[in-house]
Amino acid sequence: MKKTYRGSCHCGAVAFEADFDLAAGTYKCNCTICAKSRYWGATVSPGDFRLLRGDCDLTLYQYNTRRTDILFCKHCGIPPFTRGDLPEAGGAFVSVNVAALDGVAAGELLAGPITYLDGLHDSWTTPPVETRRL
């Protein structure tokens, strides 16, 4: 069931809310940025995401194909969300960093399935061979 979640960066300069079903599942990706930062995402439709504050506190980072906007708080360095458009994976999206959600119990975070994505090879519909380090 869809629920409104609130989240923020570590210092609180950036805050957002998003409507989604956390129990429907989350994902972990093996691309270099996700693997190195241990990013844990939940995909949200752009219409279900609202940036509450901190637009001017976000720094954009893009790499390789430049199809994903990786946004970091320029003060504390936390990536509260990313956004992009991958037609082969469903189109436009916002990815909420579930580690940046405020007040969510560990059991609720772990209740849904985790999908593993092979972003390292731009193969969004095939899981990576190795997932233990994600």
Side-chain angles (χ1 to χ4, degrees), residues 62-67 120 122:
Q62 293 181 314
Y63 69 98
N64 197 5
T65 61
R66 304 206 183 285
R67 297 189 316 163
L120 183 62
D122 249 354

Side-chain angles (χ1 to χ4, degrees), residues 6-132:
R6 287 182 166 252
S8 61
C9 64
H10 185 259
C11 71
V14 177
F16 65 89
E17 65 182 18
D19 305 321
F20 62 102
D21 184 0
L22 192 53
T26 57
Y27 75 88
K28 294 184 179 185
C29 176
N30 70 345
C31 76
T32 54
I33 189 74
C34 287
K36 285 183 180 250
S37 68
R38 299 296 191 255
Y39 189 88
W40 183 11
T43 303
V44 178
S45 101
D48 287 335
F49 179 85
R50 294 164 300 284
L51 183 61
L52 302 176
R53 72 173 173 271
D55 188 46
C56 63
D57 296 302
L58 290 167
T59 296
L60 172 66
Y61 175 72
Q62 293 181 314
Y63 69 98
N64 197 5
T65 61
R66 304 206 183 285
R67 297 189 316 163
T68 303
D69 295 341
I70 302 158
L71 299 156
F72 294 87
C73 173
K74 66 182 179 183
H75 306 288
C76 67
I78 297 298
F81 64 94
T82 65
R83 59 184 171 220
D85 191 348
L86 297 170
E88 65 276 23
F93 68 91
V94 174
S95 173
V96 170
N97 183 352
V98 298
L101 295 176
D102 298 325
V104 179
E108 188 176 358
L109 286 174
L110 298 171
I114 298 174
T115 299
Y116 294 94
L117 304 174
D118 191 4
L120 183 62
H121 300 104
D122 249 354
S123 180
W124 301 104
T125 58
T126 307
V129 174
E130 178 59 59
T131 61
R132 290 176 297 175

